[in-house]
Protein backbone atom coordinates (compact mmCIF):
# COMPACT_ATOMS: atom_id res chain seq x y z
CA UNK A 1 0.00 0.00 0.00
CA UNK A 2 1.23 3.54 -0.81
CA UNK A 3 1.95 5.67 2.25
CA UNK A 4 0.99 8.96 0.66
CA UNK A 5 -2.63 8.69 -0.45
CA UNK A 6 -3.34 12.39 -0.80
CA UNK A 7 -5.49 13.33 -3.78
CA UNK A 8 -5.45 16.94 -4.94
CA UNK A 9 -8.20 18.04 -7.31
CA UNK A 10 -7.81 21.42 -8.97
CA UNK A 11 -10.77 22.42 -11.10
CA UNK A 12 -14.22 23.86 -11.50
CA UNK A 13 -17.06 24.44 -9.10
CA UNK A 14 -20.54 25.12 -10.50
CA UNK A 15 -24.12 25.33 -9.39
CA UNK A 16 -26.13 23.07 -11.70
CA UNK A 17 -29.66 23.93 -12.79
CA UNK A 18 -31.19 20.85 -14.33
CA UNK A 19 -34.47 20.33 -16.17
CA UNK A 20 -35.69 16.87 -17.06
CA UNK A 21 -37.33 16.74 -20.52
CA UNK A 22 -38.68 13.94 -22.71
CA UNK A 23 -36.33 14.85 -25.56
CA UNK A 24 -33.56 17.45 -25.84
CA UNK A 25 -34.85 20.59 -27.64
CA UNK A 26 -33.60 21.37 -31.15
CA UNK A 27 -32.24 24.88 -31.93
CA UNK A 28 -35.11 27.36 -31.81
CA UNK A 29 -37.48 24.88 -30.15
CA UNK A 30 -39.24 25.41 -26.80
CA UNK A 31 -40.21 22.28 -24.91
CA UNK A 32 -42.22 21.95 -21.74
CA UNK A 33 -39.96 20.01 -19.42
CA UNK A 34 -40.55 18.22 -16.15
CA UNK A 35 -38.78 18.27 -12.81
CA UNK A 36 -36.29 21.10 -12.04
CA UNK A 37 -33.37 20.62 -9.68
CA UNK A 38 -30.65 22.94 -8.46
CA UNK A 39 -27.57 21.31 -7.01
CA UNK A 40 -23.82 21.28 -6.67
CA UNK A 41 -21.77 20.49 -9.77
CA UNK A 42 -18.68 21.31 -11.79
CA UNK A 43 -16.38 18.61 -13.10
CA UNK A 44 -13.63 19.43 -10.60
CA UNK A 45 -15.99 19.51 -7.64
CA UNK A 46 -17.81 16.34 -8.74
CA UNK A 47 -14.53 14.45 -9.05
CA UNK A 48 -13.33 15.72 -5.67
CA UNK A 49 -16.59 14.79 -3.92
CA UNK A 50 -16.73 11.42 -5.67
CA UNK A 51 -13.19 10.60 -4.53
CA UNK A 52 -14.01 11.70 -0.99
CA UNK A 53 -17.23 9.65 -0.76
CA UNK A 54 -15.30 6.65 -2.03
CA UNK A 55 -12.82 6.97 0.82
CA UNK A 56 -10.14 9.35 -0.52
CA UNK A 57 -8.18 11.94 1.44
CA UNK A 58 -9.02 14.85 -0.85
CA UNK A 59 -8.03 18.50 -1.03
CA UNK A 60 -10.05 20.57 -3.47
CA UNK A 61 -8.80 23.82 -5.01
CA UNK A 62 -11.22 25.87 -7.08
CA UNK A 63 -12.27 29.50 -7.43
CA UNK A 64 -15.77 30.70 -6.59
CA UNK A 65 -17.39 34.14 -6.56
CA UNK A 66 -18.03 36.26 -3.49
CA UNK A 67 -21.71 35.35 -3.75
CA UNK A 68 -24.34 33.04 -2.32
CA UNK A 69 -23.62 30.24 -4.79
CA UNK A 70 -19.93 30.39 -3.85
CA UNK A 71 -20.69 30.37 -0.11
CA UNK A 72 -23.11 27.46 -0.48
CA UNK A 73 -20.64 25.46 -2.59
CA UNK A 74 -17.89 25.82 0.01
CA UNK A 75 -20.27 24.84 2.82
CA UNK A 76 -21.24 21.76 0.82
CA UNK A 77 -17.60 20.74 0.24
CA UNK A 78 -16.92 21.17 3.97
CA UNK A 79 -19.87 18.93 4.82
CA UNK A 80 -18.41 16.31 2.47
CA UNK A 81 -15.14 16.36 4.42
CA UNK A 82 -12.99 17.88 1.67
CA UNK A 83 -10.04 20.04 2.67
CA UNK A 84 -11.33 23.41 1.45
CA UNK A 85 -8.74 25.60 3.18
CA UNK A 86 -7.19 26.74 -0.11
CA UNK A 87 -10.34 27.51 -2.10
CA UNK A 88 -9.98 30.87 -3.82
CA UNK A 89 -12.44 33.73 -4.33
CA UNK A 90 -13.04 35.89 -7.37
CA UNK A 91 -14.93 39.07 -8.12
CA UNK A 92 -16.58 37.21 -11.00
CA UNK A 93 -19.81 35.30 -10.26
CA UNK A 94 -19.58 31.65 -9.29
CA UNK A 95 -19.83 29.13 -12.12
CA UNK A 96 -23.29 27.99 -13.24
CA UNK A 97 -24.25 25.10 -15.52
CA UNK A 98 -27.58 24.81 -17.33
CA UNK A 99 -28.38 21.16 -17.93
CA UNK A 100 -31.14 19.37 -19.80
CA UNK A 101 -31.60 15.64 -19.34
CA UNK A 102 -33.80 13.54 -21.65
CA UNK A 103 -35.82 10.40 -20.97
CA UNK A 104 -32.83 8.18 -21.76
CA UNK A 105 -30.66 10.04 -19.25
CA UNK A 106 -28.56 11.78 -21.94
CA UNK A 107 -27.75 15.42 -21.29
CA UNK A 108 -26.85 18.76 -22.85
CA UNK A 109 -24.79 21.14 -20.72
CA UNK A 110 -23.90 24.79 -21.13
CA UNK A 111 -21.54 26.33 -18.57
CA UNK A 112 -21.17 29.98 -17.59
CA UNK A 113 -17.64 29.60 -16.21
CA UNK A 114 -17.52 32.87 -14.24
CA UNK A 115 -15.02 32.51 -11.39
CA UNK A 116 -13.64 29.25 -12.86
CA UNK A 117 -12.29 31.25 -15.79
CA UNK A 118 -10.58 33.61 -13.36
CA UNK A 119 -8.14 30.96 -12.04
CA UNK A 120 -4.66 32.26 -12.87
CA UNK A 121 -1.19 30.80 -13.19
CA UNK A 122 -0.30 32.76 -10.03
CA UNK A 123 -3.12 30.86 -8.26
CA UNK A 124 -1.53 27.59 -9.35
CA UNK A 125 1.83 28.82 -8.04
CA UNK A 126 0.18 29.65 -4.74
CA UNK A 127 -0.82 25.99 -4.29
CA UNK A 128 2.46 24.51 -5.50
CA UNK A 129 3.08 23.16 -1.97
CA UNK A 130 -0.16 21.13 -2.21
CA UNK A 131 0.84 19.84 -5.63
CA UNK A 132 4.25 18.70 -4.37
CA UNK A 133 2.71 16.97 -1.32
CA UNK A 134 0.05 15.06 -3.28
CA UNK A 135 0.22 11.47 -4.40
CA UNK A 136 -2.08 12.19 -7.35
CA UNK A 137 -3.21 15.42 -9.01
CA UNK A 138 -6.59 15.29 -10.77
CA UNK A 139 -7.31 17.88 -13.48
CA UNK A 140 -10.07 18.60 -16.00
CA UNK A 141 -10.44 21.35 -18.63
CA UNK A 142 -12.98 23.70 -17.03
CA UNK A 143 -10.28 26.17 -16.00
CA UNK A 144 -7.94 28.15 -18.30
CA UNK A 145 -5.57 25.87 -20.21
CA UNK A 146 -2.34 27.65 -19.11
CA UNK A 147 -3.33 26.81 -15.52
CA UNK A 148 -3.93 23.16 -16.38
CA UNK A 149 -0.53 23.05 -18.08
CA UNK A 150 1.21 24.77 -15.17
CA UNK A 151 -0.32 22.44 -12.58
CA UNK A 152 0.46 19.32 -14.64
CA UNK A 153 4.05 20.43 -15.19
CA UNK A 154 4.63 21.25 -11.52
CA UNK A 155 3.25 17.85 -10.54
CA UNK A 156 5.28 15.97 -13.12
CA UNK A 157 8.50 17.74 -12.09
CA UNK A 158 7.80 16.80 -8.46
CA UNK A 159 7.18 13.15 -9.32
CA UNK A 160 3.43 13.45 -8.66
CA UNK A 161 1.13 11.46 -10.94
CA UNK A 162 -1.36 13.44 -13.04
CA UNK A 163 -4.80 12.16 -14.00
CA UNK A 164 -6.27 14.36 -16.74
CA UNK A 165 -9.94 14.09 -17.58
CA UNK A 166 -9.86 16.10 -20.84
CA UNK A 167 -13.38 17.46 -20.56
CA UNK A 168 -14.73 19.58 -22.06
CA UNK A 169 -12.33 19.04 -24.98
CA UNK A 170 -10.30 22.09 -26.01
CA UNK A 171 -6.99 22.63 -27.78
CA UNK A 172 -4.06 21.68 -25.56
CA UNK A 173 -0.38 22.52 -25.94
CA UNK A 174 1.68 19.54 -27.12
CA UNK A 175 3.90 19.82 -24.06
CA UNK A 176 1.15 18.75 -21.64
CA UNK A 177 0.76 15.19 -22.91
CA UNK A 178 4.10 14.00 -21.54
CA UNK A 179 3.12 15.14 -18.02
CA UNK A 180 0.07 12.88 -17.95
CA UNK A 181 0.14 9.58 -16.11
CA UNK A 182 -3.45 8.70 -16.96
CA UNK A 183 -5.82 10.35 -19.45
CA UNK A 184 -9.54 9.50 -19.46
CA UNK A 185 -11.19 10.84 -22.63
CA UNK A 186 -14.62 9.73 -23.78
CA UNK A 187 -15.14 8.81 -27.44
CA UNK A 188 -15.82 12.38 -28.61
CA UNK A 189 -12.84 13.74 -26.71
CA UNK A 190 -10.63 10.96 -28.07
CA UNK A 191 -11.55 11.96 -31.60
CA UNK A 192 -11.01 15.64 -30.80
CA UNK A 193 -7.47 15.05 -29.54
CA UNK A 194 -6.39 12.46 -32.11
CA UNK A 195 -8.51 12.93 -35.23
CA UNK A 196 -9.43 9.22 -35.01
CA UNK A 197 -13.20 8.57 -34.84
CA UNK A 198 -13.70 6.01 -32.07
CA UNK A 199 -16.49 3.46 -32.57
CA UNK A 200 -14.97 0.10 -31.67
CA UNK A 201 -12.01 -1.61 -30.04
CA UNK A 202 -9.75 -1.20 -33.06
CA UNK A 203 -10.36 2.54 -33.49
CA UNK A 204 -10.04 3.06 -29.72
CA UNK A 205 -6.63 1.37 -29.86
CA UNK A 206 -5.59 3.63 -32.74
CA UNK A 207 -6.64 6.78 -30.87
CA UNK A 208 -4.88 5.61 -27.71
CA UNK A 209 -1.74 4.94 -29.73
CA UNK A 210 -1.78 8.57 -30.92
CA UNK A 211 -2.14 9.85 -27.35
CA UNK A 212 0.57 7.55 -26.03
CA UNK A 213 2.77 8.55 -28.95
CA UNK A 214 2.46 12.15 -27.75
CA UNK A 215 3.68 11.14 -24.29
CA UNK A 216 0.62 10.11 -22.24
CA UNK A 217 1.58 7.07 -20.16
CA UNK A 218 -1.77 5.28 -19.89
CA UNK A 219 -5.20 5.88 -21.41
CA UNK A 220 -8.61 4.71 -20.22
CA UNK A 221 -11.23 5.60 -22.78
CA UNK A 222 -14.82 5.72 -21.59
CA UNK A 223 -17.36 4.44 -24.13
CA UNK A 224 -20.68 5.35 -22.49
CA UNK A 225 -23.05 2.45 -21.91
CA UNK A 226 -20.55 0.02 -23.50
CA UNK A 227 -17.91 0.42 -20.79
CA UNK A 228 -14.26 1.46 -21.06
CA UNK A 229 -11.16 0.44 -22.97
CA UNK A 230 -7.78 0.75 -21.29
CA UNK A 231 -4.42 0.97 -23.02
CA UNK A 232 -1.79 0.85 -20.31
CA UNK A 233 1.65 -0.42 -19.43
CA UNK A 234 -0.23 -3.29 -17.73
CA UNK A 235 -1.72 -4.16 -21.14
CA UNK A 236 -4.97 -3.42 -22.98
CA UNK A 237 -8.27 -4.44 -21.45
CA UNK A 238 -12.00 -3.83 -21.79
CA UNK A 239 -14.23 -3.27 -18.77
CA UNK A 240 -17.92 -3.70 -19.68
CA UNK A 241 -20.41 -1.27 -18.18
CA UNK A 242 -23.05 -2.61 -15.77
CA UNK A 243 -26.50 -2.95 -17.31
CA UNK A 244 -28.61 -0.41 -15.44
CA UNK A 245 -31.57 1.88 -16.13
CA UNK A 246 -30.01 5.34 -16.66
CA UNK A 247 -32.00 8.26 -15.24
CA UNK A 248 -29.33 10.94 -15.64
CA UNK A 249 -25.79 10.38 -16.91
CA UNK A 250 -24.54 13.75 -15.55
CA UNK A 251 -21.34 13.24 -13.52
CA UNK A 252 -20.94 9.59 -14.55
CA UNK A 253 -17.54 10.44 -16.07
CA UNK A 254 -16.66 12.48 -12.98
CA UNK A 255 -17.50 9.54 -10.71
CA UNK A 256 -15.37 7.32 -12.91
CA UNK A 257 -12.38 9.66 -12.52
CA UNK A 258 -12.87 10.19 -8.78
CA UNK A 259 -13.05 6.42 -8.28
CA UNK A 260 -9.97 5.80 -10.44
CA UNK A 261 -8.09 8.37 -8.33
CA UNK A 262 -8.97 6.61 -5.08
CA UNK A 263 -8.04 3.17 -6.41
CA UNK A 264 -4.74 4.44 -7.84
CA UNK A 265 -3.55 6.06 -4.59
CA UNK A 266 -4.54 2.87 -2.77
CA UNK A 267 -2.06 1.05 -5.00
CA UNK A 268 -4.61 -0.97 -6.98
CA UNK A 269 -3.83 -2.07 -10.54
CA UNK A 270 -5.48 -0.07 -13.32
CA UNK A 271 -7.60 -3.12 -14.11
CA UNK A 272 -8.96 -3.22 -10.56
CA UNK A 273 -9.30 0.57 -10.62
CA UNK A 274 -11.37 0.44 -13.83
CA UNK A 275 -13.65 -2.22 -12.32
CA UNK A 276 -14.21 -0.11 -9.20
CA UNK A 277 -14.81 3.04 -11.26
CA UNK A 278 -17.31 1.24 -13.52
CA UNK A 279 -19.33 0.04 -10.55
CA UNK A 280 -19.30 3.53 -9.02
CA UNK A 281 -20.50 5.26 -12.19
CA UNK A 282 -23.27 2.69 -12.68
CA UNK A 283 -24.70 3.94 -9.38
CA UNK A 284 -24.40 7.61 -10.40
CA UNK A 285 -26.46 7.24 -13.58
CA UNK A 286 -29.38 5.78 -11.67
CA UNK A 287 -30.02 9.07 -9.83
CA UNK A 288 -30.79 12.63 -10.95
CA UNK A 289 -28.21 15.37 -10.47
CA UNK A 290 -24.45 15.66 -10.24
CA UNK A 291 -23.19 15.60 -6.67
CA UNK A 292 -26.50 14.31 -5.29
CA UNK A 293 -25.97 11.16 -7.32
CA UNK A 294 -22.36 10.37 -6.34
CA UNK A 295 -22.12 7.05 -4.49
CA UNK A 296 -20.43 6.16 -1.19
CA UNK A 297 -17.90 3.39 -0.86
CA UNK A 298 -20.24 0.99 0.95
CA UNK A 299 -22.75 1.28 -1.93
CA UNK A 300 -20.09 0.40 -4.49
CA UNK A 301 -19.07 -2.70 -2.54
O1 LIG B 1 -19.61 16.58 -15.72
C1 LIG B 1 -20.81 17.14 -15.28
C2 LIG B 1 -20.59 18.58 -14.90
O2 LIG B 1 -20.26 19.33 -16.04
C3 LIG B 1 -21.80 19.27 -14.33
O3 LIG B 1 -21.91 19.11 -12.94
C4 LIG B 1 -21.66 20.70 -14.80
O4 LIG B 1 -21.48 21.61 -13.76
C5 LIG B 1 -20.50 20.70 -15.78
O5 LIG B 1 -19.35 21.19 -15.23
Amino acid sequence: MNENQKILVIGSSNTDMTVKTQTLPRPGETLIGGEFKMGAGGKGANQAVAARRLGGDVTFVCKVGRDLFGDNSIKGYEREGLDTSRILRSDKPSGVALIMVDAKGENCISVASGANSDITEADIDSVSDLIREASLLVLQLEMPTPCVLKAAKLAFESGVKVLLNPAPACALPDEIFRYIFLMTPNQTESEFFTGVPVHDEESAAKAAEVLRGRGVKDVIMTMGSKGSMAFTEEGAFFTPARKVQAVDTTAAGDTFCGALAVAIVEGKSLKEAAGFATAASALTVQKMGAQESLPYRNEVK
Side-chain angles (χ1 to χ4, degrees):
M1 178 182 294
N2 300 344
E3 270 182 20
N4 177 4
Q5 298 195 359
K6 278 183 189 301
I7 298 170
L8 173 63
V9 181
I10 307 182
S12 56
S13 167
N14 292 332
T15 298
D16 289 356
M17 308 218 179
T18 305
V19 179
K20 186 91 183 163
T21 61
Q22 194 57 31
T23 55
L24 298 175
R26 288 165 301 174
E29 188 181 20
T30 301
L31 289 175
I32 301 296
E35 192 189 347
F36 168 76
K37 263 202 161 190
M38 188 163 92
K43 293 184 195 303
N46 297 345
Q47 292 176 21
V49 171
R52 176 71 198 131
R53 289 192 185 173
L54 295 169
D57 172 1
V58 186
T59 300
F60 180 43
V61 174
C62 63
K63 205 166 200 176
V64 296
R66 296 176 213 285
D67 50 23
L68 196 58
F69 282 174
D71 294 347
N72 283 343
S73 297
I74 294 177
K75 278 187 203 142
Y77 306 144
E78 279 164 359
R79 276 196 301 272
E80 293 289 344
L82 296 176
D83 179 344
T84 59
S85 57
R86 306 289 284 276
I87 288 183
L88 302 152
R89 293 284 191 157
S90 163
D91 290 332
K92 290 193 175 174
S94 296
V96 169
L98 298 184
I99 306 181
M100 279 173 280
V101 180
D102 72 11
K104 293 185 202 136
E106 296 299 335
N107 63 33
C108 250
I109 305 182
S110 182
V111 178
S113 296
N116 298 303
S117 66
D118 201 26
I119 300 177
T120 63
E121 289 180 75
D123 290 333
I124 301 298
D125 264 331
S126 76
V127 294
S128 59
D129 57 324
L130 295 180
I131 295 178
R132 280 193 302 272
E133 284 160 15
S135 170
L136 180 73
L137 171 66
V138 180
L139 297 167
Q140 323 72 33
L141 299 177
E142 282 188 331
M143 68 175 173
T145 312
C147 302
V148 180
L149 173 63
K150 177 140 205 155
K153 187 173 185 200
L154 275 171
F156 179 79
E157 288 172 350
S158 314
V160 175
K161 290 175 179 161
V162 177
L163 188 167
L164 176 69
N165 175 226
C170 66
L172 289 178
D174 246 358
E175 182 193 346
I176 199 169
F177 293 95
R178 65 174 181 274
Y179 304 142
I180 301 169
F181 162 77
L182 178 63
M183 188 162 172
T184 57
N186 63 20
Q187 284 163 275
T188 324
E189 290 149 7
S190 298
E191 179 172 353
F192 178 90
F193 290 107
T194 65
V196 179
V198 174
H199 41 79
D200 57 12
E201 217 168 292
E202 203 182 319
S203 49
K206 267 194 203 144
E209 210 176 285
V210 174
L211 292 171
R212 297 182 84 196
R214 290 167 90 176
V216 175
K217 186 166 165 283
D218 294 326
V219 177
I220 300 186
M221 216 172 273
T222 55
M223 323 259 285
S225 58
K226 289 193 208 99
S228 66
M229 280 295 315
F231 303 92
T232 75
E233 283 189 349
E234 293 169 16
F237 54 87
F238 173 63
T239 308
R242 308 288 173 109
K243 295 271 169 273
V244 294
Q245 188 67 46
V247 174
D248 178 4
T249 54
T250 308
D254 298 331
T255 306
F256 192 84
C257 293
L260 283 179
V262 171
I264 289 167
V265 299
E266 287 180 357
K268 297 202 166 48
S269 69
L270 285 179
K271 195 163 191 169
E272 287 172 293
F276 179 61
T278 302
S281 29
L283 290 165
T284 299
V285 302
Q286 294 176 73
K287 289 191 189 153
M288 265 287 275
Q291 279 164 48
E292 300 97 303
S293 69
L294 304 175
Y296 290 86
R297 183 116 180 186
N298 61 333
E299 299 174 86
V300 179
K301 273 188 188 159

